[in-house]
Amino acid sequence: MTGPLDTLYREVVLEHHRHPRGNRPLADPHIEASGQNPSCGDDVVLQMRFEGDRIAAVGVLTHGCAISTSSGSMMAELIEGRTVGEAAALAERFREVMQGKTFPAEVDLGDLSVLEGVKQFPVRIKCALLPWLTLLDAILARRQGRPPQPLDTEGLPAGGPPMQVDLKERS
Amino acid sequence: MSHRVGNEQSLASPAAAATSAGVRTAVLSPATVRDGLARERFPLLQPAAGRPPRHYLDTAATSQKPASVLAALDDFYRYRNANVHRSLDSLAASATAAYEECRRRVAAWVNAPAVAGVVITRGATSALNLVARGLEHLLAPGDEILLTEMEHHANLVPWQMLARRRGLSLRFLTITDAGELDLAQLPHLLGARTRVVSLVHTSNVLGTINPVAEIVAAARRFGAMTVIDAAQAAGHQALDLQALGADALVFSAHKTYGPLGLGFLVARPDWLAQLEPLEGGGEMIAWVDWQQATWAEVPHRFEAGTPNIAAAAAFPAALDLLAEIGQDTIRRHEQAITALALDRLQALGGITVYGPPAADRRGGLVAFADAVVHPHDLSTILDQAGVSVRAGHHCAQPLHRRLGVPATTRASFGLYTNTDDIDALIAGIREARKVFDR
């Protein structure tokens, strides 16, 4: 295999797809959010337990393609142990990357940087963003003290809905 | 629902291709199956310098267009462009003649009871909405609409909207595990309250060709109106509205080798006359005052505003091609290609095919799921190999839930599909598995 497929299906992507991190339901989650990308049948359930403002445990249960599954797996790896604000900032950074910006050098996005190859496949950007948009919506719901609404990417622009997460709250 | 069908030897045999009951026995040579029918007349399918060959396996979404249709579109805009039924000059008369010629040709093509029974719409979806909205005033709370579990959203959501407005209940003829309608359920679902039975002729996911005439006859015994969604049948097999016995039939031109933005509702003129028009505006009126208006005659009362005249002018070129090749020959070709695809997919192993196991019970499409590769990943990898398929729920979400799978990959065929296309599909699936097995 040569060409764009190489950059899309990197070994690390496939490894996350085969063995997704956080792929088990949490016993007693503080929050559970769901997102779906109906046009391709992807869906994700995100569960989190908090200790104060810190994300203590993450469950990411994805049914979907290799891109959405591996993106969710990388997300579980990246956000566990971080504060809610840090997680929101990561999600925003990743969304900006998917919308065309380059990966910020100052932020360690771990394995996530390999998903940059998705940009060459515009119809797949929604797959990569699905778990992250679900996370942003869950964080927003927590701040607003409401239950998360099921997120449906159908009809949304590729970059997802404007989430209005307040950047000042990040620390 | 996994099954194994036929073998390659029998597919190349004209005898095997002609076993379907009721099909005239013209011989379809192995070379014809190999090369596709009239493929050379479809510009997009031709290899060109700097462009890899395209294996277009998404005809169920929209068909490719023959050069004759493109030329007819060009000819209309170049030499005949004017509005219809309004101006009195010779150019407008020419445009009107072209538009009405389309109506006549469609009426003859589906054996409509009258030319005035052909309503020209924007597509099959528009036609179904026109029926569902137009019947609203005839239905009362508690009335029942009978659909099937294999409807496209276009023959489901308009009825849901109608049901919500009028307090109707929707009922569904279930499917068997073999992907066919469970006719044994029909007597339990039809009743005095059944006012409309609307069903798909050929499923866009399962490929199932439904026993439409039989279901229509059963519905009529209860006095129900009958509507046939023939979007996936038109152009793939002969259609005869009077033989089917249904009140109304819809299809779109763009899935039938014709232009985009054109479709048809075909019925008896007196049946159409009971529908309320969906849109008001120019062209659909007889007499207009400040407070009220009266409608033009059927079918013009359903054609408010300026229609897609160029598309209508060009569609007869597609019907010419279908007539030249012969609808039965096309049916046999697609059946042979479908049998080949079913066989090659099953030979791969690890593939679940949805719908009837035998190609003679199916239209020209195969939806399947691979045990390893998700449809969306498969579609991306196939695209890199020049193969166009569709991945997703194909506008049939409830059906996919019934099948217990969120998404499938669908390869769909047309008269131009050749064995190279099927080879490329199979090679692409193998390539995808290699990517995922690294």
Side-chain angles (χ1 to χ4, degrees), chain B residues 39-57:
Chain B
R39 191 178 174 99
E40 70 284 355
R41 299 193 211 177
F42 289 80
L44 192 139
L45 300 177
Q46 303 314 308
R51 191 181 70 192
R54 180 52 51 175
H55 298 286
Y56 186 76
L57 295 175

Side-chain angles (χ1 to χ4, degrees), chain B residues 102-118 266 319:
Chain B
C102 175
R103 200 188 306 277
R104 265 191 298 280
R105 290 291 304 276
V106 166
W109 191 58
V110 300
N111 192 25
V115 175
V118 177
V266 189
L319 297 180

Side-chain angles (χ1 to χ4, degrees), chain A residues 95 99 125-126 129 133 136 151-153 156-163:
Chain A
R95 179 158 66 161
Q99 287 169 334
I125 290 173
K126 271 187 191 177
L129 280 176
L133 295 179
L136 279 173
L151 182 79
D152 182 339
T153 63
L156 292 178
M163 288 294 179

Side-chain angles (χ1 to χ4, degrees), chain B residues 148-169:
Chain B
T148 81
E149 282 188 338
M150 61 170 86
E151 297 311 319
H152 186 284
H153 294 165
N155 195 32
L156 171 59
V157 179
W159 299 110
Q160 290 176 345
M161 294 162 79
L162 176 66
R164 194 178 305 167
R165 283 196 303 272
R166 295 296 286 167
L168 313 176
S169 63

Side-chain angles (χ1 to χ4, degrees), chain B residues 67 87 161 176 189 198 203 230 261 322 327 360 384 433:
Chain B
S87 311
M161 294 162 79
T176 65
L189 291 164
S198 187
S203 164
L322 295 173
Q327 205 68 70
D360 63 356
Q384 292 292 308
R433 288 176 169 184

